[in-house]
Amino acid sequence: MSPEAVPPRVVLTDIEGTTTAIAFVKEELFPFAAEALEGFLAAHGGEPAVAAILDEVWQAEPGREPVAVLRGWMAADAKVTPLKALQGLIWRQGYADGRLKGHLWPDVAPCLQAWAAGGVRLAVYSSGSEEAQRLIFGHSVAGDLVPLFGGFFDTRVGGKRERASYNAIAGALGVAPGEVLFLSDVAEELDAAGAAGMRGCQLVRPEDGTLADRRHPEARDFPEVARRFGLPAHSQAG
């Protein structure tokens, strides 16, 4: 595939299914938070950050016990900000004591490092909280990659299938939407980014069972993204 005429100034990447195996999120992170929920709330429920989250849960479903609401959201994999924020706090403990290590596909870190070194700005947009995003990249199997990124965005900026979210991200980054390349495995997210004027590329990783939508450019891995969009290539020796 020939590269795009003008390389993007910014690469905005999703996490689950894009940089990271879906199985890691579904089979390691989510069960870890679910198992630790009651114990974490008992130990930390009085802390300001946790108390604020519990207050949001009360406001979302008045009259119900917050733990029951959180359990329901977990079961439904709800993309709600209070749950995502709480999961991030629980995961922080697991990363800190070594029980968790952020999964990245082997092709991801070398490309991110090459892109950043080549002057491309990097940012993350995920339904997981900003805290959770920083933890995955900060405690990744490839080391601490957080310094590579200039922005982390979660559902507080809006839903991932909403055009306005991508306009808001471009505004926060101080660039025109057309200068941003958004990477995701989900076609509907790419639709929304495209409606905002961003370019997009669908990551179709067979290991995750992703199906190509055929209405967006696609790539199997990050080196293929680099080739297609004229991004700096990483050194195979590095």
Side-chain angles (χ1 to χ4, degrees):
M1 292 178 289
S2 60
E4 300 285 329
V6 180
R9 287 183 58 194
V10 179
V11 172
L12 176 68
T13 184
D14 172 46
I15 294 179
E16 182 181 354
T18 302
T19 65
T20 300
I22 293 174
F24 172 71
V25 178
K26 302 293 187 186
E27 299 173 11
E28 292 191 46
L29 289 185
F30 285 174
F32 185 94
E35 182 177 345
L37 178 62
E38 283 83 359
F40 182 86
L41 292 178
H44 303 282
E47 298 173 5
V50 181
I53 292 170
L54 292 175
D55 184 60
E56 287 188 68
V57 177
W58 272 109
Q59 293 181 38
E61 297 201 27
R64 293 190 63 201
E65 285 294 325
V67 171
V69 176
L70 289 164
R71 285 285 178 199
W73 286 345
M74 285 181 171
D77 189 17
K79 312 296 185 184
V80 290
T81 300
L83 172 63
K84 295 301 181 182
L86 183 63
Q87 287 173 323
L89 294 178
I90 294 173
W91 293 329
R92 181 199 291 170
Q93 287 192 328
Y95 284 111
D97 63 24
R99 286 178 292 166
L100 291 174
K101 185 72 76 172
H103 174 268
L104 296 177
W105 293 112
D107 58 271
V108 170
C111 284
L112 292 176
Q113 291 162 340
W115 299 347
V120 179
R121 296 171 62 189
L122 303 177
V124 177
Y125 180 31
S126 170
S127 58
S129 68
E130 289 185 27
E131 168 82 1
Q133 297 169 23
R134 290 177 182 274
L135 289 170
I136 282 183
F137 286 107
H139 298 269
S140 84
V141 293
D144 182 6
L145 302 182
V146 168
L148 298 178
F149 295 96
F152 293 87
F153 301 92
D154 59 23
T155 53
R156 288 175 293 182
V157 80
K160 295 188 71 182
R161 302 187 183 197
E162 299 172 8
R163 170 181 177 175
S165 304
Y166 299 89
N167 286 128
I169 290 172
L173 294 172
V175 297
E179 296 177 301
V180 180
L181 171 64
F182 178 52
L183 307 180
S184 176
D185 61 316
V186 179
E188 290 78 9
E189 295 175 3
L190 293 164
D191 290 341
M198 291 185 182
R199 285 183 280 176
C201 184
Q202 184 185 28
L203 270 293
V204 183
R205 295 186 182 273
E207 301 92 338
D208 276 335
T210 310
L211 298 177
D213 63 63
R214 304 301 182 194
R215 62 182 184 270
H216 297 286
E218 62 190 65
R220 189 206 180 287
D221 54 24
F222 274 33
E224 190 171 349
V225 171
R227 290 192 295 272
R228 177 150 200 170
F229 290 90
L231 291 163
H234 73 276
S235 168
Q236 297 295 327

